[in-house]
Amino acid sequence: MSTKAFRLSAAVFLSAAFVLHAADKPKAAAPAPAATDPYAEVQPATESLDLNMYQRIRDEGLNHSHVMEFATALMDGIGPRLTGSPNLAKANAWTRDTLTKIGLENARLEDWGEFGLGWQQLNTWARMVTPDTAVLIVQATPWSPPTPGPVTGDVTFVSIAADKDFDQYKGKLAGKVVLYGAMREVPPVEKPLFERNTEKDLDDIADFPVTAGVGAGLTPDMQARLKAYMERNRLIDKIAQFFADEKVAAVIEPSRDAKNGGGSGGTIFDDNGATLGRTPYVADKRVKIPVVVAAIESYGRLYRLTQAHAPVSVEINVDSKVTGEHEHGFDTVAEIPGTDPKLKEQVVMLGGHLDSWIAGTGATDNGAGTIVAMEAVRILKALDVKPRRTIRIALWTGEEEGIFGSKGYCTIHFGSAKLSTAPDQLELPEFMRRAEGPLEVKPEQKLISGYFNVDNGTGKIRGVYTQGNAAIAPIFAQWIAPLKDLGVTTITNRNTGGTDHLSFDAVGIPGFQFIQDMLDYESRTHHSNEDVVERLQPADLKQIATVEAIFVYNAAQRDQMLPRKPLPQPDAEQKRRAPIEGIFPGAVPPPPPDKK
């Protein structure tokens, strides 16, 4: 899940076997706009549900599942799928070919644009040499350059939190192995790392908070977090260049913690927070020195030795390679064509992101979302469903670096708004920059009924976020009523962020993420070396695919498209939030500022 490396509220912010040189081209041109305006359709109070189809989908999904076959083929057979990498190219091709094999049509790869460096980790290891020998648990951070074979260097701790801190290290780091990053507390694991939602948890999620001050924009806490994030971004590229100029041998960073103290016991997180640079995948911004992330216990021993002024040295080897400097990103897309003469040009979409980080095999993030979407459409094809609307599966890439794949797809097909180029905005990731122009929609935008996304791990579905679409809540409530025995009970009008449904929501298309049991996603598997097939829960994945297939089927069959929120007006947000002028009795407006 992205951009999960820095989760500001979504309500506030919004590629080996071969190289893919060009996208597979769609077989047909975009259809004409729908005759009916989806913003004006009258929605019925009562849904017409095909309970026989519910039963058929349940039987196929729960008793004849192939979801774990998809899982081991993708995660074990291909492995981690860093955007731009040869492994992701394999995964794109495998998903396209597999979707064709199970009966979908027009399976293709769509190019969403240039991403940057293709990169592979071939081998990484490190060991302490003095004052003792010890194997260290490390992996290269994504896009790290290699060492020139094994290198040995004395270890030194470096702390740079502000510009004034650079001077004390100038001329002192050549050939050193640098520890960069504060040593953190390692609390005992006192709570279960594996948790399911209780009824109270679900009640709390269902409760919609009307928060005072929302109209004023960012809360003070969010402003402080944003300021700290921007300051770190400002320094990080400068620090990386400083280390390169000083000719350090390598950098070792500590792995972060996780929920309930889960970032211990040899667990390594290798996400955005571990990379030494804001955009290390861009060729002219590449990191110039080898960087590894260490399990906190390995980092801790080295750190404590340096603080005791004991001589300590490490031998380290990073074997990695760049496989291309201007790799493009591709989404895998395939369809079950609609059959209703009046509705077949309309589309119901489902999906998840195919890319992952590298420490594990991307099983829960987001192999799970990929394989359940594939299983959902397999279920419908196995039942020979002839949907009224076209059902389209899309498996995104570049999600981890900024929801690039889904955003690119939506920009190409549905519309976009120009982003601000103000200096402070250019310091932010693209997904967080404010718009400075109106949302310009394309004809296809009115043809998409909705998009359903799974990207919260392997835990079963407990309900759905409406993303503030209150008109759909009573519809979804009727859809889930027959699924109560499967644990699906909760509808919430809350927003949830960090993944690909946001790209659809931003262009005025209903986009939804499901409520899931988090299990050990946030505590152990999310972006870590523990994100492997062993952490998948087969029964939960069967349930997810079954529920998702039912949601997609219902959306494809109903007479109306799913209700929409008002079309976003991103360029007008600041104006709409501004105070009303001249309403305070007796107030005297301040004089205009002096013009010099």
Side-chain angles (χ1 to χ4, degrees):
M1 181 185 292
S2 138
T3 264
K4 294 168 282 195
F6 180 69
R7 287 192 179 179
L8 292 177
S9 169
V12 180
F13 303 109
L14 298 165
S15 130
F18 50 85
V19 178
L20 300 174
H21 293 288
D24 297 349
K25 295 181 180 179
K27 296 180 180 179
T36 302
D37 182 355
Y39 290 96
E41 282 191 289
V42 177
Q43 301 290 332
T46 304
E47 291 290 288
S48 178
L49 302 180
D50 184 346
L51 297 181
N52 285 332
M53 184 56 70
Y54 268 69
Q55 175 56 36
R56 294 180 66 202
I57 291 174
R58 286 172 64 121
D59 178 63
E60 181 64 29
L62 301 177
N63 299 324
H64 306 93
S65 176
H66 292 264
V67 70
M68 291 307 294
E69 294 176 41
F70 293 146
T72 190
L74 178 61
M75 272 68 82
D76 292 334
I78 296 175
R81 303 167 301 281
L82 190 69
T83 300
S85 70
N87 268 15
L88 188 55
K90 291 180 183 179
N92 271 132
W94 176 82
T95 51
R96 177 197 61 198
D97 296 346
T98 302
L99 290 168
T100 299
K101 186 175 295 185
I102 63 177
L104 273 72
E105 299 184 19
N106 200 20
R108 60 197 183 271
L109 305 181
E110 293 203 16
D111 188 336
W112 49 259
E114 182 173 322
F115 170 71
L117 297 178
W119 181 90
Q120 279 184 297
Q121 174 178 231
L122 304 175
N123 189 21
T124 297
W125 57 264
R127 68 188 186 99
M128 186 166 70
V129 178
T130 57
D132 187 18
T133 58
V135 174
L136 304 174
I137 304 174
V138 301
Q139 285 207 29
T141 61
W143 304 288
S144 167
T147 57
V151 296
T152 302
D154 294 334
V155 176
T156 187
F157 175 74
V158 169
S159 177
I160 299 176
D163 291 317
K164 63 181 178 59
D165 297 328
F166 286 95
D167 288 345
Q168 62 182 303
Y169 299 111
K170 284 183 178 179
K172 300 177 182 178
L173 301 180
K176 302 287 188 181
V177 174
V178 168
L179 302 183
Y180 175 68
M183 180 60 194
R184 59 175 172 82
E185 293 293 324
V186 184
V189 179
E190 297 181 312
K191 296 181 179 180
L193 299 183
F194 190 97
E195 298 176 311
R196 291 195 182 273
N197 284 309
T198 65
E199 291 304 314
K200 183 182 184 304
D201 293 332
L202 295 173
D203 287 343
D204 289 344
I205 293 172
D207 182 49
F208 183 76
V210 180
T211 307
V214 166
L218 299 181
T219 65
D221 177 64
M222 294 298 292
Q223 290 175 344
R225 290 172 60 192
L226 179 58
K227 182 178 179 180
Y229 176 75
M230 293 180 68
E231 178 61 17
R232 179 184 183 277
N233 272 355
R234 187 188 68 81
L235 274 177
I236 197 67
D237 288 339
K238 187 174 181 180
I239 292 169
Q241 185 61 54
F242 177 72
F243 287 158
D245 293 342
E246 292 293 309
K247 296 180 171 54
V248 306
V251 173
I252 302 177
E253 296 190 339
S255 180
R256 63 171 172 82
D257 202 1
K259 182 181 178 183
N260 294 340
S264 61
T267 301
I268 293 174
F269 297 94
D270 69 339
D271 49 22
N272 278 333
T275 57
L276 194 63
R278 286 186 295 170
T279 54
Y281 48 84
V282 176
D284 61 0
K285 297 287 187 179
R286 74 181 75 199
V287 177
K288 301 178 180 65
I289 49 169
V291 186
V292 302
V293 59
I296 194 62
E297 295 86 355
S298 292
Y299 190 86
R301 187 176 183 186
L302 299 176
Y303 171 81
R304 289 186 294 273
L305 286 166
T306 63
Q307 299 309 290
H309 306 290
V312 54
S313 61
V314 162
E315 183 182 21
I316 189 168
N317 181 53
V318 176
D319 188 2
S320 64
K321 69 176 182 179
V322 170
T323 59
E325 295 196 344
H326 301 283
E327 298 298 305
H328 278 227
F330 300 84
D331 300 321
T332 305
V333 182
E335 295 168 342
I336 303 175
T339 59
D340 187 304
K342 295 182 180 180
L343 302 180
K344 64 183 181 181
E345 290 183 344
Q346 296 178 8
V347 181
V348 175
M349 295 188 65
L350 72 159
H353 71 87
L354 184 58
D355 64 302
S356 75
W357 292 105
I358 66 161
T361 57
T364 69
D365 187 25
N366 186 28
T370 292
I371 61 177
V372 296
M374 295 175 70
E375 174 67 1
V377 293
R378 186 207 65 80
I379 291 169
L380 298 177
K381 284 302 298 181
L383 298 175
D384 197 28
V385 167
K386 307 294 185 185
R388 300 177 71 191
R389 290 180 179 85
T390 293
I391 294 170
R392 181 182 298 159
I393 181 174
L395 304 174
W396 316 111
T397 62
E399 189 270 355
E400 295 292 0
E401 295 76 32
I403 60 174
F404 293 152
S406 59
K407 185 179 186 298
Y409 183 91
C410 288
T411 296
I412 292 167
H413 290 276
F414 309 137
S416 62
K418 292 182 180 179
L419 299 179
S420 172
T421 56
D424 65 322
Q425 293 293 299
L426 291 176
E427 291 295 316
L428 296 171
E430 185 176 286
F431 78 100
M432 289 168 55
R433 286 162 56 191
R434 66 173 178 262
E436 64 177 10
L439 176 63
E440 297 179 358
V441 297
K442 299 182 179 182
E444 282 187 78
Q445 191 260 11
K446 288 188 176 182
L447 296 176
I448 311 300
S449 180
Y451 169 73
F452 298 98
N453 195 74
V454 172
D455 187 16
N456 276 328
T458 182
K460 69 182 180 181
I461 288 174
R462 306 302 303 276
V464 63
Y465 296 93
T466 73
Q467 206 69 20
N469 187 342
I472 208 166
I475 296 170
F476 284 168
Q478 294 175 69
W479 290 11
I480 70 172
L483 302 174
K484 185 176 180 180
D485 63 317
L486 295 182
V488 189
T489 61
T490 305
I491 308 295
T492 179
N493 284 323
R494 289 174 182 257
N495 292 345
T496 187
T499 192
D500 294 292
H501 68 291
L502 295 178
S503 298
F504 289 81
D505 189 67
V507 293
I509 295 171
F512 307 104
Q513 175 87 348
F514 292 99
I515 301 165
Q516 294 176 253
D517 281 338
M518 294 307 290
L519 308 185
D520 52 358
Y521 184 68
E522 292 286 4
S523 61
R524 183 164 62 165
T525 72
H526 180 234
H527 298 176
S528 84
N529 56 338
E530 288 288 329
D531 193 7
V532 291
V533 168
E534 285 78 6
R535 301 284 84 80
L536 294 175
Q537 301 300 316
D540 290 53
L541 294 173
K542 290 180 183 181
Q543 186 259 18
I544 298 171
T546 300
V547 172
E548 189 168 31
I550 288 172
F551 266 69
V552 169
Y553 177 81
N554 286 344
Q557 296 303 101
R558 67 195 307 267
D559 291 335
Q560 299 80 18
M561 296 180 76
L562 298 176
R564 297 186 172 197
K565 299 183 292 187
L567 187 69
Q569 296 178 303
D571 57 322
E573 280 301 304
Q574 296 298 320
K575 182 177 181 180
R576 294 173 70 184
R577 289 174 175 165
I580 300 173
E581 295 183 4
I583 66 168
F584 197 92
V588 178
D594 293 335
K595 294 183 180 180
K596 296 182 180 180

